[in-house]
Amino acid sequence: MPKRPIAILFFLLFITACAANPLGLFAQDDDLTVTETQLLERVDAFGLETTLLTGMIENSGDVAYGSLTLFADVLDEDGEVIGEAFGYLTNQCGVALTDVAIAPGASRYFEASVDLFAEGEPDEYEFFIEADEIDDDSLLDIDTEGVTQVSDREVVLVEWESETSLRYGVGCDGDVFTEYDWFHYDLASGETEALDASPNEAFITNAFLQQTGITQVTQSREQDPQLYFTSFLTFPTQTPRIIYQTDLHNLITSERDGSFKRVVNTNLYQYSLQGFVWSPLANFVAYYFGAFGEPVRYLTAQANGAMISGPLQNQDPSQTVPGLTDDGRRVIITGTYPNAEGEDVTGYYFRSVVSGVVEFMFEAENIPGNNYPAPAYFRKDDNTRYIYIVRDIDEQPSLQCFYREESELHTLTPLPISLQDDERAWTFLSPENNMLALAANGRNGGLWLIDLHAFDVCR
């Protein structure tokens, strides 16, 4: 779905949008239709303003289409052509996807550059789509147990409201949450409802911006509205407090109105924040890496701003995004450490962020990249701990469960994801730990719910 700018008049945005409807369409057998169009004014990396037409292309036919190119005439209210557009299928971050197809019944996001050569305001569009009918071998067809698909779009955030309902955001994972398209899903009815915005967008007021200083340049004290979009502002469901980073990447928590700020950590300007993993007790691990294949650095803290771990620079890097125990005092990482015999063993480990002591979990030859989900930790009681892990088994992404007290590793089910290096996935345990939401972006993006009671182990 197209990314939606924040609807706040006082905020000096670089993006504006207006909705429009397609006037007509030419496609292969009329199988391909354009919906949800928006005209965006976006500032590129060079500071130049560009006009983009975005939307979804849906395939209502029985075959897949590839090598897709989109053209459009831009019409004013009198039906006169005042411009043209040319574009491709892209991911939600605007990167062209020339190697993907639209499967039957599926839809994909597109972006098209717009050239307005006459005066007037765009009112409607006439679309012309060129595409080849193909046999799509990229479609994932595996037998998954206990897995239900909720969406086939690029889901990058899931917020559990209760054990039977959740919200999910579709968008670019590097964007702030107000840029996502939001949906509500009811597990009992299986119904999905599109939302106008995240409920948390109501907190983003002028007073909020002033209290947080989220758009303030630290050295000059000037306002730079673009800083909001790089703040990683997050409203976790585990606590009434929020978290964000400044222009210098200082990590800060506050109340939801921006008051009672607490600085978590500084001296992070050279590290690239990628997200947070929260525990049920409102502790979190903030994790950092620059690109695929780089080691993951991290720190842990409480929602009130108190550090649990030492500085990020003092923590052993992980090959994967770290999981987190409930108290935030240990992380679940991957790496290579010597065993009792002095032999190096690569695998999964508990690591204390306080003492640095590592505790071996299990050996693993195929460690996922930093684009795979963090291990999800579930403490059932004082003597029962389960860790849910997504990694490749025989080249197939699969869900495993490690039963800590018995040191048993169980493979539960293959998973319907396929991640390239520039794509990511995340998992989110439900409040009562009965369901695991799996979200992914990219070419095979989507949202799936995994019923953890569908398996005979780890319950």
Side-chain angles (χ1 to χ4, degrees), residues 3 16-18 37-44 49-55 85-87 93-94 109-115 125:
K3 291 176 282 186
T16 60
C18 60
T37 55
Q38 285 188 324
L39 194 64
L40 306 179
E41 297 293 335
R42 184 179 296 168
V43 176
D44 64 20
E49 190 173 272
T50 59
T51 303
L52 294 175
L53 181 63
T54 71
F86 173 74
C93 297
Y109 180 69
F110 76 86
E111 289 190 358
S113 300
V114 176
D115 177 22
Y125 308 95

Short mmCIF file of all heavy atoms in Angstrom, two decimals, residues 3 16-18 37-44 49-55 85-87 93-94 109-115 125:
data_model
loop_
_atom_site.label_atom_id
_atom_site.label_comp_id
_atom_site.label_asym_id
_atom_site.label_seq_id
_atom_site.Cartn_x
_atom_site.Cartn_y
_atom_site.Cartn_z
N LYS A 3 2.57 4.71 1.05
CA LYS A 3 2.87 5.28 2.35
C LYS A 3 2.09 6.56 2.54
O LYS A 3 1.95 7.37 1.63
CB LYS A 3 4.37 5.54 2.47
CG LYS A 3 5.18 4.26 2.53
CD LYS A 3 6.65 4.55 2.54
CE LYS A 3 7.14 4.90 1.17
NZ LYS A 3 8.59 5.05 1.12
N THR A 16 3.45 15.45 0.65
CA THR A 16 2.02 15.70 0.66
C THR A 16 1.37 14.66 -0.22
O THR A 16 2.00 14.10 -1.12
CB THR A 16 1.68 17.12 0.13
OG1 THR A 16 2.16 17.23 -1.19
CG2 THR A 16 2.29 18.20 1.00
N ALA A 17 0.10 14.38 0.03
CA ALA A 17 -0.56 13.33 -0.74
C ALA A 17 -1.98 13.73 -1.06
O ALA A 17 -2.62 14.45 -0.31
CB ALA A 17 -0.57 12.02 0.04
N CYS A 18 -2.48 13.25 -2.19
CA CYS A 18 -3.89 13.41 -2.51
C CYS A 18 -4.34 12.13 -3.19
O CYS A 18 -3.64 11.59 -4.06
CB CYS A 18 -4.14 14.63 -3.40
SG CYS A 18 -3.30 14.60 -4.98
N THR A 37 -4.54 4.62 -5.47
CA THR A 37 -3.51 5.52 -5.99
C THR A 37 -3.37 6.77 -5.12
O THR A 37 -4.34 7.27 -4.55
CB THR A 37 -3.83 5.96 -7.42
OG1 THR A 37 -5.14 6.53 -7.47
CG2 THR A 37 -3.76 4.78 -8.36
N GLN A 38 -2.14 7.24 -5.03
CA GLN A 38 -1.83 8.50 -4.36
C GLN A 38 -0.76 9.23 -5.15
O GLN A 38 0.14 8.63 -5.72
CB GLN A 38 -1.32 8.27 -2.94
CG GLN A 38 -2.39 7.89 -1.93
CD GLN A 38 -1.83 7.88 -0.52
OE1 GLN A 38 -0.68 7.50 -0.30
NE2 GLN A 38 -2.63 8.29 0.42
N LEU A 39 -0.86 10.56 -5.14
CA LEU A 39 0.16 11.41 -5.75
C LEU A 39 0.98 12.01 -4.62
O LEU A 39 0.45 12.68 -3.73
CB LEU A 39 -0.50 12.51 -6.58
CG LEU A 39 0.42 13.27 -7.55
CD1 LEU A 39 0.96 12.33 -8.62
CD2 LEU A 39 -0.31 14.45 -8.17
N LEU A 40 2.29 11.74 -4.64
CA LEU A 40 3.16 12.18 -3.55
C LEU A 40 4.20 13.17 -4.05
O LEU A 40 4.72 13.03 -5.15
CB LEU A 40 3.90 10.99 -2.94
CG LEU A 40 3.08 9.79 -2.45
CD1 LEU A 40 4.02 8.73 -1.91
CD2 LEU A 40 2.10 10.23 -1.38
N GLU A 41 4.48 14.18 -3.22
CA GLU A 41 5.62 15.06 -3.43
C GLU A 41 6.68 14.63 -2.42
O GLU A 41 6.49 14.77 -1.22
CB GLU A 41 5.23 16.52 -3.22
CG GLU A 41 4.19 17.04 -4.20
CD GLU A 41 4.72 17.10 -5.62
OE1 GLU A 41 5.96 17.20 -5.80
OE2 GLU A 41 3.92 17.04 -6.56
N ARG A 42 7.79 14.11 -2.91
CA ARG A 42 8.81 13.55 -2.03
C ARG A 42 10.14 14.25 -2.28
O ARG A 42 10.50 14.54 -3.42
CB ARG A 42 8.94 12.05 -2.26
CG ARG A 42 9.92 11.36 -1.33
CD ARG A 42 9.96 9.87 -1.61
NE ARG A 42 8.68 9.23 -1.35
CZ ARG A 42 8.38 8.01 -1.73
NH1 ARG A 42 9.28 7.29 -2.39
NH2 ARG A 42 7.19 7.50 -1.46
N VAL A 43 10.87 14.50 -1.21
CA VAL A 43 12.22 15.06 -1.30
C VAL A 43 13.21 13.91 -1.35
O VAL A 43 13.24 13.07 -0.45
CB VAL A 43 12.51 15.98 -0.11
CG1 VAL A 43 13.95 16.49 -0.17
CG2 VAL A 43 11.53 17.16 -0.10
N ASP A 44 14.03 13.87 -2.41
CA ASP A 44 14.97 12.77 -2.55
C ASP A 44 16.24 13.02 -1.75
O ASP A 44 16.37 14.02 -1.02
CB ASP A 44 15.29 12.50 -4.02
CG ASP A 44 15.99 13.68 -4.71
OD1 ASP A 44 16.58 14.53 -4.01
OD2 ASP A 44 15.98 13.72 -5.95
N GLU A 49 12.79 17.97 -5.00
CA GLU A 49 11.40 17.52 -4.87
C GLU A 49 10.97 16.79 -6.13
O GLU A 49 11.13 17.29 -7.24
CB GLU A 49 10.49 18.71 -4.61
CG GLU A 49 9.08 18.32 -4.22
CD GLU A 49 8.24 19.52 -3.82
OE1 GLU A 49 8.26 19.88 -2.64
OE2 GLU A 49 7.58 20.09 -4.71
N THR A 50 10.46 15.58 -5.96
CA THR A 50 10.00 14.79 -7.09
C THR A 50 8.54 14.41 -6.87
O THR A 50 8.07 14.30 -5.74
CB THR A 50 10.83 13.51 -7.25
OG1 THR A 50 10.75 12.73 -6.05
CG2 THR A 50 12.28 13.84 -7.52
N THR A 51 7.84 14.21 -7.97
CA THR A 51 6.43 13.82 -7.91
C THR A 51 6.31 12.35 -8.27
O THR A 51 6.82 11.91 -9.31
CB THR A 51 5.58 14.66 -8.88
OG1 THR A 51 5.73 16.05 -8.57
CG2 THR A 51 4.11 14.30 -8.76
N LEU A 52 5.63 11.59 -7.42
CA LEU A 52 5.46 10.16 -7.62
C LEU A 52 3.99 9.80 -7.57
O LEU A 52 3.22 10.36 -6.79
CB LEU A 52 6.19 9.36 -6.55
CG LEU A 52 7.71 9.42 -6.52
CD1 LEU A 52 8.24 8.65 -5.31
CD2 LEU A 52 8.31 8.86 -7.81
N LEU A 53 3.60 8.85 -8.40
CA LEU A 53 2.30 8.23 -8.35
C LEU A 53 2.48 6.83 -7.80
O LEU A 53 3.30 6.06 -8.32
CB LEU A 53 1.68 8.17 -9.74
CG LEU A 53 0.27 7.55 -9.85
CD1 LEU A 53 -0.75 8.37 -9.08
CD2 LEU A 53 -0.14 7.43 -11.32
N THR A 54 1.79 6.51 -6.71
CA THR A 54 1.93 5.19 -6.08
C THR A 54 0.58 4.52 -5.99
O THR A 54 -0.48 5.17 -6.10
CB THR A 54 2.54 5.31 -4.67
OG1 THR A 54 1.57 5.89 -3.78
CG2 THR A 54 3.77 6.19 -4.68
N GLY A 55 0.60 3.22 -5.75
CA GLY A 55 -0.64 2.48 -5.58
C GLY A 55 -0.39 0.99 -5.60
O GLY A 55 0.75 0.53 -5.44
N ALA A 85 3.08 9.41 -16.56
CA ALA A 85 3.82 8.72 -15.51
C ALA A 85 4.38 7.42 -16.07
O ALA A 85 3.80 6.81 -16.98
CB ALA A 85 2.91 8.42 -14.31
N PHE A 86 5.51 7.01 -15.51
CA PHE A 86 6.17 5.79 -15.94
C PHE A 86 6.78 5.13 -14.71
O PHE A 86 7.48 5.77 -13.93
CB PHE A 86 7.26 6.10 -16.96
CG PHE A 86 8.10 4.92 -17.34
CD1 PHE A 86 7.59 3.93 -18.17
CD2 PHE A 86 9.40 4.79 -16.86
CE1 PHE A 86 8.37 2.83 -18.52
CE2 PHE A 86 10.17 3.70 -17.22
CZ PHE A 86 9.66 2.72 -18.05
N GLY A 87 6.49 3.82 -14.52
CA GLY A 87 7.02 3.19 -13.33
C GLY A 87 7.02 1.68 -13.36
O GLY A 87 6.68 1.05 -14.38
N CYS A 93 9.81 0.42 0.19
CA CYS A 93 10.84 1.45 0.35
C CYS A 93 11.15 2.13 -0.98
O CYS A 93 12.05 2.97 -1.06
CB CYS A 93 12.11 0.84 0.94
SG CYS A 93 11.91 0.16 2.61
N GLY A 94 10.43 1.75 -2.05
CA GLY A 94 10.61 2.39 -3.34
C GLY A 94 11.69 1.80 -4.21
O GLY A 94 12.03 2.37 -5.25
N TYR A 109 2.80 -3.44 -4.78
CA TYR A 109 2.96 -1.99 -4.72
C TYR A 109 3.76 -1.50 -5.93
O TYR A 109 4.66 -2.18 -6.41
CB TYR A 109 3.70 -1.67 -3.42
CG TYR A 109 3.98 -0.22 -3.15
CD1 TYR A 109 2.95 0.66 -2.85
CD2 TYR A 109 5.28 0.26 -3.14
CE1 TYR A 109 3.22 1.99 -2.55
CE2 TYR A 109 5.56 1.59 -2.85
CZ TYR A 109 4.52 2.45 -2.56
OH TYR A 109 4.79 3.77 -2.27
N PHE A 110 3.42 -0.31 -6.44
CA PHE A 110 4.18 0.28 -7.53
C PHE A 110 4.46 1.75 -7.24
O PHE A 110 3.75 2.40 -6.46
CB PHE A 110 3.45 0.15 -8.87
CG PHE A 110 2.29 1.10 -9.04
CD1 PHE A 110 2.49 2.39 -9.53
CD2 PHE A 110 1.00 0.72 -8.72
CE1 PHE A 110 1.43 3.28 -9.67
CE2 PHE A 110 -0.07 1.59 -8.87
CZ PHE A 110 0.15 2.88 -9.34
N GLU A 111 5.49 2.26 -7.88
CA GLU A 111 5.78 3.69 -7.88
C GLU A 111 6.09 4.11 -9.30
O GLU A 111 6.78 3.38 -10.03
CB GLU A 111 6.94 4.03 -6.95
CG GLU A 111 6.61 3.89 -5.48
CD GLU A 111 7.68 4.47 -4.57
OE1 GLU A 111 8.72 4.96 -5.09
OE2 GLU A 111 7.51 4.44 -3.34
N ALA A 112 5.60 5.29 -9.67
CA ALA A 112 5.82 5.80 -11.02
C ALA A 112 6.21 7.28 -10.94
O ALA A 112 5.57 8.06 -10.22
CB ALA A 112 4.56 5.64 -11.87
N SER A 113 7.25 7.65 -11.68
CA SER A 113 7.66 9.05 -11.75
C SER A 113 6.67 9.82 -12.62
O SER A 113 6.24 9.34 -13.67
CB SER A 113 9.06 9.17 -12.34
OG SER A 113 10.00 8.48 -11.54
N VAL A 114 6.31 11.02 -12.17
CA VAL A 114 5.30 11.82 -12.87
C VAL A 114 5.96 13.05 -13.48
O VAL A 114 6.76 13.74 -12.83
CB VAL A 114 4.19 12.26 -11.89
CG1 VAL A 114 3.20 13.18 -12.59
CG2 VAL A 114 3.48 11.03 -11.34
N ASP A 115 5.63 13.32 -14.74
CA ASP A 115 6.09 14.52 -15.44
C ASP A 115 4.86 15.33 -15.83
O ASP A 115 4.08 14.91 -16.70
CB ASP A 115 6.90 14.14 -16.68
CG ASP A 115 7.34 15.36 -17.48
OD1 ASP A 115 7.40 16.46 -16.89
OD2 ASP A 115 7.62 15.21 -18.69
N TYR A 125 -6.44 9.34 -13.61
CA TYR A 125 -5.33 8.74 -14.34
C TYR A 125 -5.86 7.65 -15.27
O TYR A 125 -6.79 6.93 -14.92
CB TYR A 125 -4.32 8.10 -13.37
CG TYR A 125 -3.86 9.05 -12.30
CD1 TYR A 125 -4.47 9.05 -11.04
CD2 TYR A 125 -2.85 9.96 -12.54
CE1 TYR A 125 -4.09 9.94 -10.06
CE2 TYR A 125 -2.46 10.85 -11.56
CZ TYR A 125 -3.08 10.85 -10.32
OH TYR A 125 -2.70 11.73 -9.36
#
